Amino acid sequence: MTPPPVTDQAAKPKHQRMGVSEAMDLAAKAHQPSLSGRSPLPAFKPFTPEPAEAGAQSAKPTAEGGRDIRQISLDLIEENPYAPREVYAPEVLRERADSLRANGQYDVIHVIPHPEKPDRFMIADGWTRVTACRVHKVLDTLAAQVHHDLSPLQAGWMGYNQNESREQHCDLDRAFFFDKMYAQGMTQSEVAKKTGISQTQLSFYTAFRKLPEETLQIIRINPGRFPAYIAQNLAKVARKVSEDKASSLASIFSSNGQSVNWMINQCSLLLEKEPRSPQKQKIGKVFRYSNGVLRQKGLQFDLSIEIDEADQDEFNKALDQLLNKFGKHPAPAAPEVAPQE
């Protein structure tokens, strides 16, 4: 079978996805019976290098419309430290390898010259295909377009924008990619502007880094099941209840196919059962006298005082007046019990 010619057609999104906060509201109201495996995304925006960041070197002209497209050995291609993808599921690599073996390569991958190693390259987009070929021994070379005007960081953003149109891209990938950008000094506002994701939505992605490692490993196995707002709920369970509870819940949700509504309810139940920290006992006022003491604890008053016999009638009258004024619903006096002989 003759494979079709390699092209470089920009991928287009299948549909406009809703925001994370909206999806969270829908899940909480039980309008979403099951999780589809893909989280809400902004519209795909083709990558355009910023003029201030673009390099001065121009692309080498070739017969492919002025683009530098060549066959490159897989041994010469290295991973980008700013790669937009965190998870490469074995089944995805196997499917990609089977497709390449049966149909050949449809689209070029994208690389840049390695900034530190002459005659080597760094991936911009297509690392899944490179890995699939290596793991499953499919092809030794791949057709690649070499971009001479992109830095590794820009190449990472190019891969991110391409991945936004692909079903395998998940919130775990996005979360770690955004963390790489923050580590490079980008602010949340700058990431929001570049991705089209609001800062409120971006805050959900920080939950992944707060998860215990055991829970994170469970998510890596089936990342499409865990959008950012589910990760946020699990992070709360891990912090306020226990890490074991969070991992156990993640394992059940990953493998048994429960709905989003079930997951959110389970997290809520665990958080509601969380033991509250004991409140510190309020220290009241203490009034000491030579013949007794008055203690005030909040709204409660306790009086212990010794009255001279000569002053008891006057004290009783004053106390009666005070209680008649401030006492509420006085109980009937208890009958006196005659002492037994």
Side-chain angles (χ1 to χ4, degrees):
M1 175 179 180
T2 304
V6 176
T7 61
D8 183 32
Q9 298 176 351
K12 297 181 180 179
K14 291 186 176 180
H15 53 80
Q16 183 80 18
R17 299 175 175 91
M18 68 182 73
V20 174
S21 58
E22 184 180 353
M24 190 175 181
D25 292 339
L26 288 175
K29 294 177 181 178
H31 291 314
Q32 201 169 336
S34 62
L35 184 58
S36 64
R38 294 193 300 277
S39 58
L41 298 175
F44 170 71
K45 298 188 300 182
F47 173 81
T48 303
E50 298 176 10
E53 298 175 344
Q57 188 177 5
S58 60
K60 298 178 182 179
T62 69
E64 290 286 343
R67 298 178 299 168
D68 183 1
I69 296 180
R70 60 179 84 167
Q71 287 290 135
I72 298 180
S73 170
L74 301 184
D75 295 335
L76 298 179
I77 304 175
E78 298 189 14
E79 192 172 8
N80 191 327
Y82 307 113
R85 180 158 288 172
E86 181 72 16
V87 180
Y88 296 89
E91 60 272 16
V92 173
L93 295 178
R94 188 180 305 107
E95 290 173 3
R96 188 59 54 87
D98 291 343
S99 175
L100 287 166
R101 185 177 289 110
N103 306 311
Q105 181 184 359
Y106 277 89
D107 301 322
V108 297
I109 64 172
H110 297 266
V111 299
I112 63 173
H114 199 290
E116 298 175 357
K117 301 177 182 179
D119 301 323
R120 296 187 69 84
F121 301 89
M122 182 179 289
I123 197 70
D125 178 57
W127 190 247
T128 302
R129 281 168 280 176
V130 172
T131 305
C133 285
R134 286 176 174 172
V135 172
H136 295 280
K137 312 296 182 184
V138 182
L139 300 171
D140 295 327
T141 66
L142 284 172
Q145 179 176 348
V146 183
H147 297 264
H148 297 267
D149 57 350
L150 298 180
S151 67
L153 188 63
Q154 288 177 306
W157 276 106
M158 179 184 186
Y160 169 84
N161 280 291
Q162 294 283 6
N163 283 347
E164 284 298 273
S165 65
R166 295 168 179 156
E167 294 183 358
Q168 291 85 6
H169 210 208
C170 60
D171 277 1
L172 181 63
D173 288 331
R174 298 182 186 93
F176 280 91
F177 178 71
F178 296 154
D179 281 349
K180 293 173 186 176
M181 297 303 105
Y182 298 144
Q184 293 303 305
M186 289 188 71
T187 65
Q188 194 176 73
S189 175
E190 290 170 335
V191 172
K193 182 179 179 180
K194 205 168 184 69
T195 61
I197 302 174
S198 70
Q199 293 189 58
T200 300
Q201 293 173 1
L202 283 174
S203 65
F204 285 101
Y205 291 95
T206 62
F208 284 99
R209 79 168 77 106
K210 301 174 184 177
L211 291 170
E213 184 60 30
E214 183 179 354
T215 306
L216 202 55
Q217 289 302 322
I218 294 170
I219 293 176
R220 286 177 184 275
I221 296 173
N222 192 5
R225 286 282 286 164
F226 294 88
Y229 59 89
I230 292 295
Q232 187 183 57
N233 278 268
L234 286 173
K236 289 180 181 179
V237 171
R239 184 176 71 254
K240 296 184 177 182
V241 183
S242 76
E243 293 185 359
D244 288 343
K245 287 287 187 182
S247 297
S248 175
L249 194 56
S251 180
I252 295 171
F253 182 68
S254 176
S255 57
N256 293 352
Q258 281 82 0
S259 67
V260 169
N261 186 59
W262 178 91
M263 183 62 161
I264 292 178
N265 284 341
Q266 291 299 309
C267 290
S268 298
L269 287 173
L270 288 172
L271 293 170
E272 288 173 2
K273 293 179 181 178
E274 173 200 355
R276 297 182 179 179
S277 56
Q279 296 182 348
K280 294 182 179 180
Q281 185 177 7
K282 294 182 179 180
I283 301 176
K285 299 178 181 179
V286 178
F287 303 91
R288 299 185 183 279
Y289 305 93
S290 59
N291 60 333
V293 60
L294 174 65
R295 292 183 175 87
Q296 178 186 353
K297 297 180 181 178
L299 302 177
Q300 182 177 344
F301 292 84
D302 294 327
L303 177 64
S304 177
I305 193 168
E306 184 178 348
I307 304 298
D308 292 339
E309 187 175 353
D311 299 326
Q312 284 188 3
D313 288 341
E314 185 179 354
F315 176 80
N316 289 336
K317 290 179 182 179
L319 184 60
D320 286 341
Q321 291 178 354
L322 186 65
L323 294 178
N324 286 335
K325 183 176 181 179
F326 295 101
K328 296 180 181 179
H329 309 294
E336 296 184 2
V337 179
Q340 296 182 354
E341 296 182 356

